[in-house]
Amino acid sequence: MKARIFILLLLPFSFLAQQAANSCREFKARKTQMLTKSASLTEAEIAKTELYDVSYYFLDLNMTNTSTYLSGSVEIHAKAKVNLDTALVELFESLSISQVQVNGSTVAFNRISNRVNIPVNALANTAFVLKIYYAGNPPTAQTNPLGGSGLTAGTSNTWGNKVVWSLSEPFSAYEWFAVKQSLTDKADSCAVHITVPDTLMAGSNGLLENVVSLPNNKKRFEWKHQHPIDYYLISVAVAKYIDYSIYANPVGTPNPVLIQNFIYDNPNTLPYFIDEINETADFIELYAALFGPYPFADEKYGHCMAPIGGGMEHQTMTTQGLFEKTLTSHELAHQWWGDNVTCASWCDIWLNEGFASYAEYLMLANLYPGDQIAHMQQVHQSVMNQAGGSVWVLDSLNEARIFNGRLTYDKGAAIIHSIRYLVNNDSLFFDGLRAFQQHYADSTATGLDFKNFMANFCSTNLDAFFEQWYFGEGFPTYEVVWNQIGSDVIIEINHTASMPTTTPTFTNPLDIRISRQAQPDTLIRFEITGNSVSYLLPNLGIVQGGIFIDPANWIINGFGGVFFDANLTATTSIEATENNWLAYPNPTNEFIYVDTKSQTPFTFMLFESNGKLIQNGQLESTQGIDVHQLKPGSYILRLQNNTHTRIQLVTIK
């Protein structure tokens, strides 16, 4: 969903890693509690709903476009997980129930407020079907302060069209149909039939199988969706629409993907938006390449217009107020991030909104190259407008916090960008995203599920990063102090944290670009192990033109300045104690050898001058690094053992 268009402290890394491990253990200990939070049920009542699994919803509704009043029935197909006397479902108290059936037979039921207890008398692993006949007016924000958005009637101020539409995220599905509101219990499929006056059209999930003409100037729109779907992604929208359908052709998809758009029946609406709507095909083709095949390619993607300020990613048919490239691409990206893979709790809404927001950046980078730079700068500035706040949501009943633009959307997107930087291999990073989508397809995941999956897939330790950036608060402000001694350069990197009592230190690496006299600029990735670190860069050349912190904007950070200090020495440099680590011959065109005066194995990483990793591994001091296939130029060699690190510039001739 997108509701908008748009004190130096030294902490050893081992302490930070332990802090991250403690945080993850604490999270796991609270995980069950977070997963079972509900805005409308007690914990005991939630536990009761978890005694059965839903497999299918069938909504058969009578609606119009001028009033939220509705009538009809909902079938819930389910299976008992234990011997089950009574099944509990939710339906808001303003909707009256006229009859309840179990497996086709009418039964007496017990209802207290929105809690409907239905006798099913089902043995464990036995399927049963509930059918609830109901009618009435769904609540408004005044009659249900915790929701009131489940079903809304409104008029477009711009186009004049009257619309009734649903928006159930996060807790409002029960405001318009009987339901089990559990993120981790996706239905295997659903069907939605909507009977409306024959001057109207009704949109929903999946494929439109039939439009049936009925007596009394009515029509029934029959939609069927045959993929797993979470409760809040089932949707309806009713208005005077026209159908404007186009197709996308993602690489690797056997057939074109239908993009079915229900646009206001106003002669000016489609011409106004047609170019933006047509771009949806480009976005599907891009995201299929980045994230994997469009999950619902055998059915459709599409839009139903409604007078809302942004969009809501209803599965296969987003409800959207207008068409603009970042909004449209954001909602489409949810079909992967939010619909195919859904957050397992509202604490982890980042998996939905952070990734859909980052998809905006990816769209700009690929289809509007150059525009993504200002976009990410704006995202970072939004995050830094306030000092604190974590991406992970502690209060998962607070809708304003769940959908906080600065934290869930902007900081959420920015830290995905940083994870991409940590992986330092775009092919591997996007392979990981595609593999994650495949592994968790049609199901749910937590933020820690994503962390663990990507850490294993990409062989990248993300523990400290998640402690500081996902569970932690704030951001660093970096300052660089430097000195020139002959051709050697000393770099001291200091940072302060915006929330030092919560997250005092950020240990993500940091890129610094150094402009040099008569040589190309060089980009060096520095390890940050504390709030102040220093490095000796031997034979780097003469600094001329400036030193630039995080020039590609990979990390949310404030700028504390770059200062020359003629008195800065290397005595505090972790490099100074290891000056005997010498890479030779330099220059070379065959092998690089490293004299460590020790047989202790060490790891090496060889980067191009732009920071791209091209080789890495572990070596004994007598072994060489084969570079004979590399192009001539300057490269950055990073050497490390358990206690020391050295960065050296090497030349391939």
Side-chain angles (χ1 to χ4, degrees):
M1 181 167 65
K2 188 176 184 183
R4 29 186 205 112
I5 301 295
F6 282 61
I7 99 203
L8 294 178
L9 177 62
L10 294 175
L11 290 175
F13 183 79
S14 59
F15 173 80
L16 293 169
Q18 183 61 46
Q19 193 178 35
N22 290 341
S23 173
C24 290
R25 281 194 292 270
E26 181 184 357
F27 172 83
K28 290 174 182 176
R30 298 197 304 254
K31 180 177 178 181
T32 300
Q33 177 187 358
M34 296 301 176
L35 291 175
T36 56
K37 278 192 173 183
S38 168
S40 51
L41 299 180
T42 67
E43 193 166 331
E45 289 167 336
I46 297 168
K48 188 173 181 180
T49 67
E50 294 301 328
L51 299 179
Y52 65 90
D53 283 329
V54 174
S55 60
Y56 177 65
Y57 286 104
F58 172 37
L59 281 62
D60 190 0
L61 304 175
N62 300 290
M63 298 180 64
T64 185
N65 68 328
T66 56
S67 168
T68 58
Y69 180 88
L70 76 168
S71 64
S73 65
V74 57
E75 284 186 15
I76 304 174
H77 295 217
K79 179 183 287 187
K81 297 164 72 172
V82 298
N83 293 340
L84 186 64
D85 294 330
T86 304
L88 172 63
V89 299
E90 292 185 80
L91 184 67
F92 197 78
E93 57 191 327
S94 64
L95 298 168
S96 61
I97 298 175
S98 58
Q99 184 183 19
V100 172
Q101 295 178 351
V102 176
N103 299 327
S105 298
T106 300
V107 299
F109 60 93
N110 175 264
R111 184 180 194 183
I112 301 175
S113 182
N114 57 285
R115 302 154 178 84
V116 184
N117 289 280
I118 302 171
V120 294
N121 300 313
L123 298 176
N125 298 315
T126 300
F128 59 90
V129 178
L130 310 177
K131 190 167 187 178
I132 298 106
Y133 293 86
Y134 67 103
N137 287 296
T140 65
Q142 289 71 39
T143 55
N144 182 22
L146 290 177
S149 59
L151 204 65
T152 303
T155 302
S156 169
N157 291 330
T158 303
W159 307 107
N161 293 76
K162 299 180 184 299
V163 190
V164 169
W165 72 96
S166 64
L167 202 164
S168 301
E169 188 181 29
F171 310 117
S172 294
Y174 81 118
E175 295 178 0
W176 63 282
F177 70 97
V179 64
K180 172 184 172 181
Q181 295 193 130
S182 169
L183 283 169
T184 54
D185 187 8
K186 288 189 174 185
D188 298 331
S189 59
C190 71
V192 181
H193 291 184
I194 311 126
T195 298
V196 297
D198 61 9
T199 57
L200 306 178
M201 296 172 66
S204 188
N205 315 94
L207 286 174
L208 182 58
E209 293 190 324
N210 267 308
V211 179
V212 180
S213 295
L214 299 172
N216 301 316
N217 300 316
K218 301 283 188 178
K219 281 186 178 179
R220 184 171 63 240
F221 289 78
E222 299 181 350
W223 295 89
K224 182 68 178 291
H225 182 50
Q226 301 191 55
H227 291 265
I229 184 169
D230 234 316
Y231 70 90
Y232 74 92
L233 295 169
I234 297 172
S235 69
V236 293
V238 177
K240 287 186 177 182
Y241 289 126
I242 60 169
D243 183 340
Y244 174 66
S245 291
I246 57 175
Y247 289 87
N249 292 280
V251 173
T253 301
N255 298 304
V257 176
L258 171 65
I259 304 172
Q260 188 171 25
N261 304 285
F262 278 17
I263 307 301
Y264 293 147
D265 186 9
N266 179 312
N268 298 315
T269 307
L270 180 58
Y272 187 86
F273 287 123
I274 191 167
D275 291 340
E276 286 79 6
I277 295 170
N278 289 343
E279 273 199 305
T280 308
D282 300 330
F283 301 157
I284 287 182
E285 291 163 7
L286 172 64
Y287 291 157
L290 295 176
F291 306 142
Y294 174 61
F296 316 111
D298 60 334
E299 294 187 352
K300 75 167 190 311
Y301 182 63
H303 304 93
C304 281
M305 292 193 73
I308 59 177
M312 174 61 212
E313 64 275 12
H314 295 127
Q315 197 154 303
T316 73
M317 203 163 201
T318 286
T319 303
Q320 201 158 301
L322 51 85
F323 297 91
E324 183 274 333
K325 59 180 177 291
T326 57
L327 173 63
T328 302
S329 63
H330 177 108
E331 302 304 337
L332 169 63
H334 273 308
Q335 303 300 306
W336 287 263
W337 304 97
D339 294 10
N340 184 43
V341 182
T342 308
C343 61
S345 80
W346 296 112
C347 299
D348 291 289
I349 186 65
W350 171 69
L351 276 174
N352 296 21
E353 299 298 351
F355 280 85
S357 297
Y358 188 55
E360 298 175 40
Y361 173 89
L362 295 174
M363 178 275 295
L364 293 172
N366 284 274
L367 301 181
Y368 293 86
D371 287 6
Q372 82 279 8
I373 298 171
H375 178 88
M376 187 57 70
Q377 290 171 342
Q378 184 178 16
V379 166
H380 283 195
Q381 189 56 53
S382 167
V383 176
M384 294 189 291
N385 282 337
Q386 297 180 37
S390 66
V391 175
W392 187 66
V393 178
L394 177 62
D395 184 0
S396 60
L397 297 183
N398 184 336
E399 289 193 42
R401 175 56 194 90
I402 293 171
F403 301 110
N404 182 284
R406 184 177 71 89
L407 298 173
T408 297
Y409 292 72
D410 290 336
K411 191 173 183 182
I415 69 170
I416 298 164
H417 194 51
S418 298
I419 293 170
R420 179 180 172 187
Y421 166 74
L422 293 182
V423 172
N424 200 29
N425 182 323
D426 268 3
S427 294
L428 184 62
F429 174 77
F430 286 106
D431 283 348
L433 297 190
R434 288 187 286 270
F436 178 82
Q437 281 287 317
Q438 184 176 12
H439 183 81
Y440 286 95
D442 300 326
S443 65
T444 61
T446 66
L448 283 182
D449 289 332
F450 179 82
K451 176 194 82 75
N452 294 333
F453 186 92
M454 290 296 284
N456 291 331
F457 190 92
C458 300
S459 300
T460 303
N461 190 322
L462 296 173
D463 289 349
F465 181 86
F466 265 69
E467 166 63 21
Q468 295 154 21
W469 286 104
Y470 185 66
F471 296 108
E473 295 189 49
F475 55 89
T477 293
Y478 293 113
E479 172 196 82
V480 167
V481 183
W482 66 281
N483 190 16
Q484 181 90 54
I485 302 177
S487 64
D488 297 345
V489 176
I490 301 169
I491 294 285
E492 181 181 271
I493 305 169
N494 305 311
H495 80 267
T496 58
S498 65
M499 294 291 289
T501 59
T502 304
T503 308
T505 305
F506 291 87
T507 58
N508 51 270
L510 181 70
D511 280 357
I512 293 180
R513 190 177 81 231
I514 302 173
S515 295
R516 300 172 297 165
Q517 185 181 74
Q519 296 185 70
D521 286 5
T522 185
L523 185 73
I524 299 177
R525 181 168 298 196
F526 291 90
E527 295 298 317
I528 307 297
T529 56
N531 291 71
S532 182
V533 295
S534 56
Y535 290 89
L536 172 66
L537 306 177
N539 302 313
L540 188 69
I542 305 301
V543 176
Q544 185 180 61
I547 293 175
F548 306 92
I549 301 170
D550 188 28
N553 212 24
W554 289 108
I555 307 297
I556 303 166
N557 70 91
F559 178 67
V562 175
F563 306 98
F564 175 79
D565 183 355
N567 297 316
L568 186 67
T569 67
T571 56
T572 60
S573 170
I574 61 175
E575 307 302 331
T577 60
E578 288 293 303
N579 282 335
N580 58 338
W581 282 26
L582 181 65
Y584 68 93
N586 189 12
T588 183
N589 60 5
E590 293 185 350
F591 287 88
I592 299 173
Y593 296 93
V594 182
D595 182 6
T596 66
K597 312 300 183 185
S598 168
Q599 295 302 312
T600 302
F602 58 89
T603 60
F604 79 92
M605 302 176 76
L606 186 64
F607 301 88
E608 293 180 350
S609 61
N610 63 5
K612 180 181 179 181
L613 177 66
I614 53 174
Q615 285 193 47
N616 67 291
Q618 181 170 297
L619 292 172
E620 301 288 345
S621 63
T622 57
Q623 294 176 300
I625 303 170
D626 187 353
V627 296
H628 77 275
Q629 293 184 337
L630 298 182
K631 296 178 181 179
S634 297
Y635 294 82
I636 300 160
L637 178 64
R638 181 180 181 275
L639 304 170
Q640 184 175 26
N641 64 13
N642 291 332
T643 58
H644 295 95
T645 302
R646 176 182 176 85
I647 296 174
Q648 182 175 341
L649 195 70
V650 295
T651 301
I652 309 300
K653 60 183 181 179

